[in-house]
């Protein structure tokens, strides 16, 4: 099963993807996580990407498309995968469609998680992420048992550089301008399923799994 998780910054794509990985045993492919990993390693690609990420803009398609093309051909993707944060504009979606034809694959479901902007801002400015395992928490909605430490691995929790109010507002604008058109793109392919992303994380998980089966 190949799935795309679509939705604005803070909608809960990463949160749900981690739960879906556990349920379906298919990997999460988050282009944002891949770019942050490249930055952590200090690669030229990561350093270049940071300029765009800090501005709340999209990293050039050529960079991201190459990463995804390589990733979806890895052996762990043979039984399916979950794309989180890719594609992010119509041209990435078109390239992905071409890639899928070439590889003899197809997307089965596109799940768009919808959350109002005011809620997204609260979610993002309170988000905490584990430096070691990538686990996600929230200061108010999902606080760690011990402040500053990951419940799962004890790693240090940090706030993403792009989770400040100014960058969040640019990211929301980028989403509206570049990514929202994908809703029509996938609706036209008959693959789009929209879900209400407001509610508890368990409730949202129930809504997503009701679609994926
Ligand atoms: P990326 O890392 O993909 O960020 P994003 O799309 O902005 O999405 P987020 O990761 O911020 O949100 P999420 O939906 O995963 O929410 P989460 O589950 O963490 O991209 C970052 C940057 O990289 C981009 O701006 C761009 O520059 C670049 N980039 C990435 N992909 C690219 C591409 N394809 N092309 C070009 N550039 C690209 O949840 C958020 C918080 O809310 C957490 O604290 C969580 O605990 C909490 N939460 C989750 N669900 C709930 C709930 N139901 N109730 C209450 N709180 C909740
Ligand atoms: Mg994410």
């Amino acid at each position: 099963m190949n799935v795309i998780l679509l939705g604005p910054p803070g909608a809960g794509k990463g949160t749900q993807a981690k739960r879906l990985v556990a349920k379906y045993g298919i990997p999460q492919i988050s282009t944002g996580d891949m770019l942050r990993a490249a930055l952590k390693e200090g690669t030229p690609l990561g350093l270049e990407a940071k300029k765009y990420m800090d501005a709340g803009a999209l990293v050039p398609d050529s960079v991201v498309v190459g990463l995804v093309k390589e990733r979806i051909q890895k052996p762990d993707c043979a039984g399916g995968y979950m794309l989180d944060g890719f594609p992010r504009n119509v041209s990435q979606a078109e390239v992905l469609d071409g890639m899928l034809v070439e590889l003899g694959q197809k997307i089965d479901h596109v799940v768009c998680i919808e959350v109002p902007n005011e809620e997204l801002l609260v979610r993002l400015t309170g988000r905490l992420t584990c430096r070691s395992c990538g686990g996600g928490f929230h200061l108010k909605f999902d606080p760690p048992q011990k402040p500053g430490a990951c419940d799962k691995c004890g790693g240090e929790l940090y706030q993403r550089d792009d989770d400040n109010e100014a960058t969040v507002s640019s990211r929301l604008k980028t989403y509206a301008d570049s990514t929202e058109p994908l809703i029509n793109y996938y609706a036209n392919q008959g693959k789009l399923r929209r879900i209400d992303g407001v509610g508890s994380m368990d409730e949202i998980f129930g809504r997503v799994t009701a679609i994926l089966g």
Side-chain angles (χ1 to χ4, degrees):
M1 176 170 64
N2 299 330
V3 180
I4 294 175
L5 290 178
L6 195 63
K13 302 180 296 293
T15 302
Q16 295 303 327
K18 287 186 177 60
R19 293 169 174 229
L20 296 166
V21 163
K23 179 170 168 73
Y24 296 103
I26 56 174
Q28 168 195 10
I29 301 179
S30 157
T31 39
D33 287 350
M34 290 162 94
L35 295 168
R36 281 183 290 277
L39 176 63
K40 198 171 159 191
E41 283 168 28
T43 67
L45 184 150
L47 295 169
E48 173 70 11
K50 182 168 169 56
K51 292 189 271 183
Y52 297 93
M53 294 167 86
D54 283 350
L58 294 184
V59 173
D61 293 350
S62 54
V63 172
V64 182
V65 161
L67 289 176
V68 172
K69 185 162 190 190
E70 200 180 305
R71 183 67 187 87
I72 63 175
Q73 294 184 75
K74 293 258 160 79
D76 66 331
C77 290
Y81 47 79
M82 219 166 344
L83 293 171
D84 158 7
F86 181 90
R88 219 147 167 134
N89 58 28
V90 169
S91 92
Q92 290 182 11
E94 287 170 349
V95 174
L96 174 66
D97 279 344
M99 235 187 257
L100 293 169
V101 170
E102 211 179 288
L103 299 171
Q105 301 180 354
K106 68 176 175 62
I107 296 297
D108 299 292
H109 304 281
V110 179
V111 179
C112 182
I113 308 177
E114 298 181 319
V115 175
N117 282 4
E118 315 80 72
E119 166 94 10
L120 295 172
L121 181 64
V122 178
R123 287 190 188 182
L124 291 171
T125 50
R127 171 166 54 189
L128 297 169
T129 307
C130 175
R131 264 194 216 287
S132 306
C133 73
F137 297 87
H138 192 279
L139 279 170
K140 194 163 124 199
F141 305 131
D142 186 16
Q145 279 164 14
K146 191 171 147 219
C150 176
D151 290 353
K152 290 152 206 152
C153 75
E156 182 201 353
L157 300 181
Y158 77 103
Q159 269 208 296
R160 267 171 49 177
D161 287 347
D162 59 347
D163 278 349
N164 61 75
E165 213 168 318
T167 311
V168 168
S169 126
S170 307
R171 287 160 65 198
L172 291 173
K173 182 166 182 345
T174 301
Y175 179 79
D177 294 346
S178 303
T179 312
E180 247 172 13
L182 290 179
I183 293 179
N184 271 337
Y185 183 90
Y186 286 114
N188 289 337
Q189 291 192 2
K191 292 188 173 154
L192 185 81
R193 300 295 298 270
R194 306 169 86 139
I195 61 158
D196 179 3
V198 178
S200 72
M201 296 176 201
D202 287 345
E203 282 165 347
I204 315 302
F205 185 64
R207 289 172 203 160
V208 180
T209 51
I211 292 169
L212 302 185

Short mmCIF file of all heavy atoms in Angstrom, two decimals, residues 132-160:
data_model
loop_
_atom_site.label_atom_id
_atom_site.label_comp_id
_atom_site.label_asym_id
_atom_site.label_seq_id
_atom_site.Cartn_x
_atom_site.Cartn_y
_atom_site.Cartn_z
N SER A 132 17.32 12.23 19.34
CA SER A 132 17.86 10.89 19.09
C SER A 132 16.94 10.05 18.23
O SER A 132 17.36 9.50 17.22
CB SER A 132 18.11 10.16 20.40
OG SER A 132 18.91 10.94 21.23
N CYS A 133 15.64 9.93 18.62
CA CYS A 133 14.78 9.00 17.90
C CYS A 133 13.74 9.70 17.02
O CYS A 133 13.00 9.04 16.31
CB CYS A 133 14.08 8.04 18.87
SG CYS A 133 12.76 8.80 19.84
N GLY A 134 13.68 11.03 17.08
CA GLY A 134 12.73 11.76 16.24
C GLY A 134 11.31 11.75 16.78
O GLY A 134 10.38 12.27 16.16
N GLY A 135 11.10 11.17 17.96
CA GLY A 135 9.77 11.12 18.56
C GLY A 135 9.20 12.53 18.76
O GLY A 135 9.95 13.46 19.02
N GLY A 136 7.88 12.66 18.64
CA GLY A 136 7.25 13.97 18.75
C GLY A 136 6.46 14.13 20.03
O GLY A 136 5.82 13.17 20.48
N PHE A 137 6.50 15.32 20.61
CA PHE A 137 5.73 15.64 21.81
C PHE A 137 5.16 17.04 21.65
O PHE A 137 5.46 17.74 20.69
CB PHE A 137 6.65 15.61 23.05
CG PHE A 137 7.22 14.26 23.33
CD1 PHE A 137 8.41 13.85 22.72
CD2 PHE A 137 6.57 13.37 24.16
CE1 PHE A 137 8.93 12.59 22.95
CE2 PHE A 137 7.08 12.10 24.41
CZ PHE A 137 8.27 11.72 23.80
N HIS A 138 4.33 17.43 22.61
CA HIS A 138 3.82 18.80 22.62
C HIS A 138 3.77 19.28 24.06
O HIS A 138 3.33 18.53 24.95
CB HIS A 138 2.42 18.85 21.98
CG HIS A 138 1.98 20.26 21.72
ND1 HIS A 138 1.44 21.06 22.70
CD2 HIS A 138 2.05 21.01 20.60
CE1 HIS A 138 1.17 22.25 22.18
NE2 HIS A 138 1.54 22.25 20.91
N LEU A 139 4.23 20.53 24.26
CA LEU A 139 4.29 21.08 25.62
C LEU A 139 2.96 20.93 26.36
O LEU A 139 2.93 20.62 27.54
CB LEU A 139 4.64 22.57 25.55
CG LEU A 139 6.13 22.90 25.37
CD1 LEU A 139 6.32 24.38 25.07
CD2 LEU A 139 6.89 22.50 26.64
N LYS A 140 1.85 21.14 25.62
CA LYS A 140 0.55 21.13 26.27
C LYS A 140 -0.25 19.86 25.93
O LYS A 140 -0.84 19.24 26.81
CB LYS A 140 -0.22 22.36 25.76
CG LYS A 140 -1.44 22.72 26.54
CD LYS A 140 -1.86 24.15 26.22
CE LYS A 140 -3.29 24.18 25.74
NZ LYS A 140 -3.62 25.40 25.00
N PHE A 141 -0.25 19.46 24.67
CA PHE A 141 -1.14 18.37 24.23
C PHE A 141 -0.56 16.97 24.44
O PHE A 141 -1.29 15.99 24.46
CB PHE A 141 -1.51 18.53 22.76
CG PHE A 141 -2.11 19.86 22.42
CD1 PHE A 141 -1.65 20.61 21.35
CD2 PHE A 141 -3.16 20.37 23.19
CE1 PHE A 141 -2.21 21.84 21.05
CE2 PHE A 141 -3.72 21.61 22.89
CZ PHE A 141 -3.24 22.34 21.82
N ASP A 142 0.77 16.89 24.53
CA ASP A 142 1.40 15.57 24.67
C ASP A 142 2.74 15.75 25.40
O ASP A 142 3.81 15.49 24.84
CB ASP A 142 1.61 14.99 23.26
CG ASP A 142 2.14 13.56 23.30
OD1 ASP A 142 2.06 12.92 24.36
OD2 ASP A 142 2.66 13.10 22.25
N PRO A 143 2.69 16.23 26.66
CA PRO A 143 3.94 16.57 27.34
C PRO A 143 4.74 15.33 27.72
O PRO A 143 4.15 14.29 28.05
CB PRO A 143 3.47 17.32 28.60
CG PRO A 143 2.06 16.92 28.80
CD PRO A 143 1.50 16.48 27.48
N PRO A 144 6.06 15.42 27.65
CA PRO A 144 6.89 14.28 28.08
C PRO A 144 6.78 14.12 29.59
O PRO A 144 6.50 15.09 30.30
CB PRO A 144 8.30 14.71 27.68
CG PRO A 144 8.26 16.20 27.63
CD PRO A 144 6.86 16.58 27.24
N GLN A 145 7.01 12.88 30.08
CA GLN A 145 6.91 12.66 31.53
C GLN A 145 7.95 13.46 32.29
O GLN A 145 7.67 14.04 33.34
CB GLN A 145 7.06 11.16 31.82
CG GLN A 145 5.76 10.43 31.59
CD GLN A 145 5.93 8.93 31.48
OE1 GLN A 145 6.97 8.38 31.83
NE2 GLN A 145 4.91 8.27 30.99
N LYS A 146 9.15 13.51 31.72
CA LYS A 146 10.22 14.29 32.36
C LYS A 146 10.55 15.46 31.43
O LYS A 146 10.91 15.22 30.26
CB LYS A 146 11.45 13.37 32.53
CG LYS A 146 12.53 13.95 33.39
CD LYS A 146 13.59 12.88 33.67
CE LYS A 146 14.94 13.55 33.77
NZ LYS A 146 16.01 12.78 33.16
N PRO A 147 10.42 16.71 31.89
CA PRO A 147 10.63 17.84 30.98
C PRO A 147 11.99 17.77 30.26
O PRO A 147 13.00 17.50 30.89
CB PRO A 147 10.59 19.07 31.91
CG PRO A 147 9.85 18.61 33.13
CD PRO A 147 10.12 17.14 33.26
N GLY A 148 11.94 17.97 28.94
CA GLY A 148 13.19 18.03 28.18
C GLY A 148 13.74 16.69 27.74
O GLY A 148 14.73 16.62 27.01
N ALA A 149 13.10 15.57 28.18
CA ALA A 149 13.63 14.26 27.82
C ALA A 149 12.55 13.40 27.16
O ALA A 149 11.38 13.43 27.55
CB ALA A 149 14.17 13.55 29.06
N CYS A 150 12.99 12.62 26.16
CA CYS A 150 12.06 11.77 25.42
C CYS A 150 11.61 10.59 26.28
O CYS A 150 12.44 9.92 26.90
CB CYS A 150 12.79 11.28 24.17
SG CYS A 150 11.84 10.11 23.19
N ASP A 151 10.30 10.32 26.28
CA ASP A 151 9.75 9.19 27.05
C ASP A 151 10.27 7.86 26.52
O ASP A 151 10.40 6.89 27.26
CB ASP A 151 8.23 9.14 26.94
CG ASP A 151 7.57 10.29 27.68
OD1 ASP A 151 8.28 11.03 28.38
OD2 ASP A 151 6.34 10.44 27.54
N LYS A 152 10.50 7.81 25.17
CA LYS A 152 10.82 6.52 24.56
C LYS A 152 12.30 6.17 24.72
O LYS A 152 12.64 5.03 25.00
CB LYS A 152 10.45 6.54 23.07
CG LYS A 152 8.95 6.55 22.87
CD LYS A 152 8.53 7.23 21.57
CE LYS A 152 7.12 7.78 21.70
NZ LYS A 152 6.86 8.94 20.85
N CYS A 153 13.19 7.17 24.52
CA CYS A 153 14.63 6.81 24.51
C CYS A 153 15.45 7.68 25.45
O CYS A 153 16.66 7.49 25.55
CB CYS A 153 15.18 6.89 23.09
SG CYS A 153 15.43 8.57 22.52
N GLY A 154 14.83 8.66 26.12
CA GLY A 154 15.59 9.51 27.06
C GLY A 154 16.37 10.62 26.37
O GLY A 154 17.04 11.41 27.02
N GLY A 155 16.29 10.67 25.01
CA GLY A 155 17.03 11.69 24.24
C GLY A 155 16.57 13.11 24.56
O GLY A 155 15.51 13.32 25.16
N GLU A 156 17.39 14.06 24.12
CA GLU A 156 17.09 15.47 24.40
C GLU A 156 15.97 15.98 23.47
O GLU A 156 16.00 15.71 22.27
CB GLU A 156 18.38 16.28 24.16
CG GLU A 156 18.25 17.76 24.45
CD GLU A 156 19.33 18.59 23.73
OE1 GLU A 156 20.25 17.99 23.13
OE2 GLU A 156 19.22 19.82 23.76
N LEU A 157 15.04 16.70 24.04
CA LEU A 157 13.96 17.27 23.22
C LEU A 157 14.34 18.69 22.80
O LEU A 157 14.90 19.44 23.59
CB LEU A 157 12.64 17.31 24.01
CG LEU A 157 12.12 15.95 24.49
CD1 LEU A 157 10.80 16.12 25.23
CD2 LEU A 157 11.94 14.97 23.31
N TYR A 158 14.03 19.04 21.55
CA TYR A 158 14.37 20.39 21.08
C TYR A 158 13.19 20.96 20.29
O TYR A 158 12.29 20.23 19.88
CB TYR A 158 15.64 20.36 20.21
CG TYR A 158 15.42 19.84 18.80
CD1 TYR A 158 15.37 20.72 17.72
CD2 TYR A 158 15.25 18.48 18.55
CE1 TYR A 158 15.16 20.25 16.43
CE2 TYR A 158 15.04 18.01 17.27
CZ TYR A 158 15.00 18.90 16.21
OH TYR A 158 14.78 18.44 14.93
N GLN A 159 13.24 22.29 20.12
CA GLN A 159 12.23 22.96 19.29
C GLN A 159 12.82 23.19 17.91
O GLN A 159 13.95 23.69 17.80
CB GLN A 159 11.90 24.32 19.90
CG GLN A 159 10.74 24.26 20.87
CD GLN A 159 10.01 25.60 20.93
OE1 GLN A 159 10.60 26.58 21.34
NE2 GLN A 159 8.76 25.62 20.52
N ARG A 160 12.09 22.84 16.87
CA ARG A 160 12.60 23.04 15.52
C ARG A 160 12.80 24.53 15.24
O ARG A 160 12.02 25.35 15.67
CB ARG A 160 11.60 22.44 14.51
CG ARG A 160 11.95 21.01 14.15
CD ARG A 160 10.90 20.32 13.33
NE ARG A 160 10.41 21.04 12.17
CZ ARG A 160 9.52 20.54 11.31
NH1 ARG A 160 9.04 19.32 11.49
NH2 ARG A 160 9.11 21.25 10.29
#
